[in-house]
Amino acid sequence: MTITAPAPSPAAHDVLAIAARRTPLSKRHPSLLPLARFVHRERRHLDWLVSSTAWAATRSEENLPVRVKQHGSLLLRQLGDAEMWLQHNKITNLRLAAAETDGIVVRPGETFSFNKVVGDCTARKGYVEGMRLSNGEATPGVGGGICQLANLLHWMFLHSPLTIVERSEHSFDPFPDNGRVLPWGVGCSIVYPYLDLVVRNDTPHTFQLRTWVGEKHLRGELRADTPIGVAYHVDARGEEFLRVPSGEVYRRNEIWRTLIDTRTGTAYAEECVKRNCALVKYLPEEHRIRDVAQE
């Protein structure tokens, strides 16, 4: 079996280094935050304007014949002390955003951008206040909650040969794992237009997204025009909680993907697709925490 991995996971002393540089300049100097956002927005709009990228924009209501991956994520889940009204509002936002991604076709050579397809989630378009995760805090904000749709898409992309070009994760772990279905560390952070989920189709296959809001779940399917010949198993490894001398707790793990030949059922390759390390915003069970200072 072929095994592909990046450099080894950060040792405990590396987590200390991550903790030391965690606070961004804009948080140490809040007055710079509007300027930083403006610069990021304008840079992304300029990139879109001058880019020669073939962006996926075609939509088809007729399903492609092969279902590559399907997934459903629970719409309402108790998340620590988070207000449930924000989660109910989130459903409205997810209906609007899922309608934008539903049916999108990604042909060979094309690139899918979540932000280009969904657009800016404004009140004028019908979006309401949902829960937004920003600068380490969960706060109400118009369009909040659409990250759940990006999370679902990213999970399906991980089970396909599509190339993930861009994906921004949250720099903190906001809630305990109550009811978690997917491994921690496969989520996405979406901020229009500069924090995006982008995938490119480097294969000879055409892919299609189907996304919708059901009674209790956000639903999605990734479909293709022909069988792709490989299945994928994605799991988290090496997960642990580390407490640094300041008292802050960090969570880390690795996300691995196993490639399986669908004709024989044989696993023939493994690859580490992501290493995660994030500040924990809740108190994990004490027996799960390892003190870095004791090493």
Side-chain angles (χ1 to χ4, degrees):
M1 178 185 295
T2 302
I3 298 179
T4 305
S9 294
H13 65 271
D14 293 322
V15 175
L16 288 171
I18 291 171
R21 63 175 183 266
R22 179 179 59 84
T23 305
L25 182 64
S26 58
K27 192 162 186 178
R28 283 179 277 148
H29 303 280
S31 61
L32 296 178
L33 186 57
L35 176 61
R37 288 174 173 167
F38 173 80
V39 170
H40 287 313
R41 281 197 302 268
E42 294 308 304
R43 180 182 297 149
R44 180 52 58 100
H45 284 307
L46 180 62
D47 287 344
W48 285 345
L49 183 64
V50 303
S51 172
S52 60
T53 300
W55 297 105
T58 303
R59 191 183 310 273
S60 174
E61 296 302 319
E62 183 177 348
N63 283 345
L64 292 182
V66 178
R67 187 170 63 194
V68 176
K69 180 65 178 177
Q70 65 176 340
H71 184 66
S73 61
L74 199 62
L75 290 168
L76 299 176
R77 180 172 148 233
Q78 186 58 53
L79 299 174
D81 297 326
E83 298 285 353
M84 287 303 294
W85 68 271
L86 291 173
Q87 290 202 57
H88 285 282
N89 279 8
K90 173 190 69 176
I91 298 174
T92 297
N93 296 337
L94 287 173
R95 288 188 192 280
L96 293 170
E100 297 296 331
T101 56
D102 186 40
I104 289 291
V105 173
V106 188
R107 298 188 177 95
E110 290 186 333
T111 298
F112 167 84
S113 160
F114 184 93
N115 279 334
K116 280 188 70 69
V117 170
V118 174
D120 197 0
C121 300
T122 63
R124 184 172 57 85
K125 296 180 180 178
Y127 288 90
V128 296
E129 283 197 333
M131 186 172 62
R132 299 177 64 180
L133 303 177
S134 177
N135 287 327
E137 303 295 338
T139 58
V142 173
I146 64 163
C147 287
Q148 184 171 345
L149 175 59
N151 294 348
L152 180 143
L153 294 178
H154 181 241
W155 181 247
M156 296 195 300
F157 294 152
L158 285 173
H159 290 80
S160 80
L162 292 169
T163 302
I164 297 174
V165 176
E166 181 179 342
R167 171 235 170 192
S168 297
E169 70 274 13
H170 296 292
S171 60
F172 57 97
D173 179 19
F175 305 113
D177 287 350
N178 298 335
R180 183 187 295 277
V181 176
L182 302 185
W184 174 76
V186 298
C188 298
S189 178
I190 295 293
V191 179
Y192 182 88
Y194 51 88
L195 294 186
D196 203 355
L197 173 63
V198 181
V199 296
R200 186 179 62 244
N201 186 359
D202 295 324
T203 80
H205 306 280
T206 294
F207 291 88
Q208 179 191 34
L209 300 175
R210 300 311 310 254
T211 51
W212 69 97
V213 173
E215 183 177 348
K216 294 183 178 181
H217 295 82
L218 173 66
R219 300 285 185 183
E221 291 183 351
L222 179 64
R223 307 188 71 91
D225 56 347
T226 55
I228 62 174
V230 58
Y232 299 83
H233 173 73
V234 180
D235 65 300
R237 304 179 189 179
E239 184 158 314
E240 60 182 342
F241 292 91
L242 296 175
R243 181 161 45 210
V244 300
S246 66
E248 292 180 326
V249 176
Y250 285 78
R251 185 176 189 174
R252 66 178 184 179
N253 72 3
E254 293 180 347
I255 304 301
W256 282 77
R257 186 164 74 161
T258 304
L259 284 64
I260 304 165
D261 188 322
T262 56
R263 295 166 298 177
T264 64
T266 303
Y268 63 89
E270 282 189 335
E271 55 187 7
C272 181
V273 296
K274 188 69 178 69
R275 288 165 43 199
N276 298 296
C277 186
L279 177 68
V280 177
K281 302 293 287 186
Y282 56 91
L283 184 62
E285 296 173 330
E286 185 64 28
H287 72 273
R288 300 186 65 189
I289 303 174
R290 182 160 62 93
D291 286 304
V292 173
Q294 294 177 357
E295 298 192 347

